[in-house]
Amino acid sequence: MDLNKRYTPQTWPDHPETATLEGKNKFVGFWLLLAAETVTFASLFATYLALKDKGPSGMEFSASGLFELPLVFAMTMILLTSSLTSVYAMYHMKNHNFKAMQAWLGITVLLGLAFLGLEIYEFNHYVHLGFGFTNSAFSSAFYVLVGTHGAHVVFGLSWFIALMLRNAKRGLNMYNAPKFYLAALYWHFIDVVWVFIFTVVYLMGVIG
Amino acid sequence: MAHDTHDIHRSRTEFEFIKKKRATEMRGQLTSFAMMIFLTLIAFTLVAADFSNYLIVPIILLLAAIQVVLQLYNFMHMSNKGHGMMAFFMFSGIFVAFTIVLTMVTIVWW
């Protein structure tokens, strides 16, 4: 089959992401990656929980004194909304509406950038308070956990942008449909991890 | 590419039906999204309202778990057909994840 074959909404398969063998392989491999990522994040969460509020004696920073909920709430809402906008993008992908898909992906990227901006502001704020990476076991565990999530956001955004630019003139075909689908899955997974970060790190941190 | 997919020839009625089905699914996704927002609001409100920690912690962890189930099964389509292997991967991952967290919070001390 020619992967660059042109399709119309009428001839577009119901599940373009798994319609080719290549797509199927990517799909299975990607879920395996997500399962492995779950374990990676679990070890970072476990480290954080074990080292929460721990550090040298006389350490002035603790989770309950440091974290502020309004910023975290805004970040949560932004990321959750960006998860929905990528669902919209995939809805249009399945309808073979390339322009609408690109538009919704664009909105997703903008929301992701807003999230990233707030995270950078937050880290910068903490460092100015003196809560740097080497401040304590607690600070190292916090920055590694939340920072790894932030790195995933950066990667997800780069992935979206690369796909959007690379395929801007190609339109949707069997070659790139699985790619868009997997990038959207990755973005949802980033939101899944954030749900636990805002619950375990921030909410449980604020109540001490 | 050697692997062929069969070309699809849909009748007009079939096409309209599938399109409508997708639109209905999309409305379902909006419902999931509304529920996620609602769960998040409850979690933040509980913490802001300053209830006892023994009450808050299990509840917000449960809310997070529900929200993740919504993400996985609705937004990531794990409820669709052909996701048995994906569920197996994820549940294996989640099992190992639980074991790691349990180990670290019970065995590690400072």
Side-chain angles (χ1 to χ4, degrees):
Chain A
M1 193 194 74
D2 178 16
L3 289 173
N4 287 310
K5 184 182 160 185
R6 297 252 169 217
Y7 283 86
T8 65
Q10 279 80 10
T11 59
W12 190 237
D14 288 348
H15 294 283
E17 71 277 8
T18 49
T20 59
L21 183 64
E22 187 179 337
K24 277 195 189 90
N25 289 340
K26 278 184 177 155
F27 185 69
V28 173
F30 194 77
W31 274 97
L32 198 56
L33 171 89
L34 291 185
E37 289 261 65
T38 309
V39 177
T40 307
F41 275 104
S43 55
L44 296 177
F45 271 107
T47 312
Y48 172 82
L49 285 170
L51 297 177
K52 184 186 169 197
D53 293 343
K54 305 281 166 53
S57 54
M59 181 182 80
E60 60 176 309
F61 295 104
S62 68
S64 56
L66 191 66
F67 301 144
E68 280 164 30
L69 285 186
L71 183 71
V72 179
F73 183 72
M75 288 164 79
T76 305
M77 285 300 151
I78 290 171
L79 205 62
L80 192 54
T81 310
S82 80
S83 203
L84 179 77
T85 57
S86 69
V87 170
Y88 266 107
M90 287 310 105
Y91 167 69
H92 290 296
M93 187 277 277
K94 293 207 165 176
N95 279 335
H96 201 269
N97 186 345
F98 183 65
K99 279 201 178 129
M101 183 193 77
Q102 291 278 73
W104 281 106
L105 285 180
I107 297 171
T108 308
V109 168
L110 288 180
L111 288 168
L113 285 173
F115 174 87
L116 204 62
L118 288 179
E119 183 147 87
I120 291 168
Y121 163 79
E122 187 199 3
F123 281 11
N124 186 42
H125 174 66
Y126 292 158
V127 170
H128 276 284
L129 291 177
F131 185 72
F133 188 84
T134 54
N135 180 261
S136 56
F138 168 51
S139 79
S140 305
F142 166 78
Y143 281 118
V144 172
L145 171 60
V146 184
T148 305
H149 176 268
H152 277 71
V153 173
V154 172
F155 185 81
L157 287 175
S158 318
W159 192 359
F160 273 141
I161 293 169
L163 281 178
M164 287 166 67
L165 293 179
R166 180 69 185 89
N167 295 298
K169 286 179 183 165
R170 278 179 169 168
L172 268 174
N173 55 34
M174 280 300 165
Y175 175 62
N176 56 30
K179 298 181 178 215
F180 281 111
Y181 187 84
L182 295 187
L185 275 188
Y186 189 74
W187 195 253
H188 293 312
F189 183 76
I190 289 172
D191 195 49
V192 165
V193 174
W194 181 257
V195 168
F196 281 108
I197 290 184
F198 87 69
T199 304
V200 173
V201 175
Y202 292 101
L203 290 182
M204 282 165 65
V206 166
I207 60 179
Chain B
M1 281 274 155
H3 343 291
D4 265 313
T5 53
H6 297 289
D7 273 357
I8 295 174
H9 301 286
R10 293 196 191 87
S11 69
R12 196 176 180 79
T13 336
E14 265 178 319
F15 176 64
E16 292 299 327
F17 173 74
I18 287 165
K19 227 178 138 176
K20 213 168 167 181
K21 201 174 136 205
R22 279 199 207 106
T24 318
E25 273 171 19
M26 195 60 228
R27 272 198 292 281
Q29 302 284 35
L30 276 176
T31 317
S32 310
F33 176 70
M35 278 175 74
M36 288 177 199
I37 293 276
F38 185 59
L39 295 173
T40 309
L41 283 174
I42 298 177
F44 275 90
T45 315
L46 276 176
V47 171
D50 218 13
F51 287 111
S52 152
N53 285 4
Y54 294 102
L55 183 71
I56 296 177
V57 172
I59 294 180
I60 60 175
L61 284 176
L62 181 71
L63 294 177
I66 298 172
Q67 207 180 132
V68 164
V69 168
L70 284 174
Q71 281 270 358
L72 285 172
Y73 278 87
N74 293 355
F75 279 14
M76 294 167 82
H77 309 288
M78 238 169 76
S79 58
N80 286 12
K81 260 195 292 188
H83 281 67
M85 190 56 96
M86 283 75 234
F88 173 69
F89 291 159
M90 281 317 276
F91 284 118
S92 309
I94 290 166
F95 172 72
V96 179
F98 261 110
T99 317
I100 295 171
V101 172
L102 198 63
T103 311
M104 294 289 263
V105 297
T106 52
I107 298 179
V108 175
W109 67 94
W110 193 268

